[in-house]
Amino acid sequence: MSSLLRTPAVQELYLRDSWFYRILPSVKHKPFTAVPSGNLTENWNEVEPDPNQLRWLPFTIPKSTEKKVDFVAGLHTVCGAGDAKSRNGIGIHMYTCNTSMVDRCFNNSDGDFLIVPQQGEILITTEFGKMMVEPNEICVIQQGMRFSVDVFGETRGYILEVYGAHFELPDLGPIGANGLANPRDFLCPVAWYEDRKVATGYTVINKYQGKLFACQQDFSPFNVVAWHGNYTPYKYNLKNFMVINCVAFDHADPSIFTVLTAKSTRPGVAIADFVIFPPRWGVADHTFRPPYYHRNCMSEFMGLIHGHYEAKEEGFQPGGASLHSMMTPHGPDAECFEKNSTAELKPERVAEGTMAFMFESSFSMAVTKWGLQTCQRLDKSYYQCWEPLRSHFNPNWKPSKP
């Protein structure tokens, strides 16, 4: 595997490009033809909208003894909104696979992939070089970059796709120069190449306007001997996130946990944010410390890499997911509420051994037929986690005298 370099690709840049020195140009290929897209889709009208709180059990990984499934064949769209043609929107996908891509690669002409491995490391070969990405790391493959994925067993993860914008670091505002995800911790590949002929044909799969197309060529596309530029794939280890939290009372906005954002044309509004809930100290006084009950103008898709999410320690499992749509109420389950309403407010570690994350979007997302029906992982009892909530209101209560 190649070594990695620090990258400026996550910083706000007015010009993003890279220059390849390659053995043969990528234009040397047979014509593209349409191929089946499987469960990868941009059809947001397959089923009727569902405003309910939704939760999925861990998505099933196919057994290699039953069927060989590589990264592309294992892509499944859960939800999304917008349109790749108009360059405005998002898609959220799961990948579940068990075998490496052989003599085939993938590129996304529609947008960027932010990949979050959950089970199993993945070795990504790109035109820029190689990256090994493990659970608790993320990587971004930007629009148009060709890549192939090697896996080492049953593998699962999440993908956030954005059309029409690139991921970048959030504006830090009064935080200042340092904090959250620091640019120095993002890594990109060093050039690696193979000068390899493929007599039986090398397949290039292209996601274009929401559909898949394939073409044939007789050589490996990973023939870039050297490159320079700032438009690159990159990876980031979530353990390097510098957490900021409340140190007095009340809650800060969850935007303090933003790793990367894809901005919209409206100031302060994101097409999508990638937010994490890492291990940290909880010290707030006179405060209900878990996330509060709320409705908001964003759609929140959550996943769990490992551990137990503090607001729902039961039911929300690694490799599963939840979706709380725009203006749909949500918050801690009844057990979490009762436990934290009576807990002694002393400094404590929160989310130790856990990494939950959120894909948050200003779009009102539609769930696909695969997400609601075909995958058969929808937890239809999810609403019951709030059923035991009871009133604690006492009109005669008065605060104790100091």
Side-chain angles (χ1 to χ4, degrees), residues 47-68:
V47 291
E48 291 296 310
D50 189 340
N52 287 301
Q53 304 95 347
L54 301 177
R55 183 169 70 187
W56 289 268
L57 301 171
F59 292 94
T60 304
I61 307 173
K63 300 290 184 183
S64 58
T65 54
E66 298 174 1
K67 185 179 180 181
K68 300 287 187 183

Side-chain angles (χ1 to χ4, degrees), residues 90-129:
I90 68 168
I92 294 176
H93 319 283
M94 295 296 300
Y95 68 87
T96 55
C97 52
N98 55 38
T99 193
S100 299
M101 297 173 67
V102 178
D103 290 339
R104 61 195 226 133
C105 71
F106 180 83
N107 81 266
N108 185 359
S109 295
D110 292 338
D112 291 8
F113 270 3
L114 188 156
I115 301 174
V116 184
Q118 185 274 319
Q119 178 175 316
E121 59 190 10
I122 54 177
L123 176 59
I124 303 178
T125 301
T126 76
E127 295 166 287
F128 297 78

Side-chain angles (χ1 to χ4, degrees), residues 26-37:
S26 54
V27 72
K28 188 178 185 296
H29 64 81
K30 304 298 184 184
F32 281 101
T33 57
V35 295
S37 298

Side-chain angles (χ1 to χ4, degrees), residues 170-182 241-245 252-253 255-258:
D171 297 328
L172 295 185
I175 294 174
N178 305 301
L180 310 187
N182 289 304
F241 189 80
M242 198 283 276
V243 184
I244 289 175
N245 207 2
D253 192 274
S255 60
I256 61 171
F257 300 120
T258 302

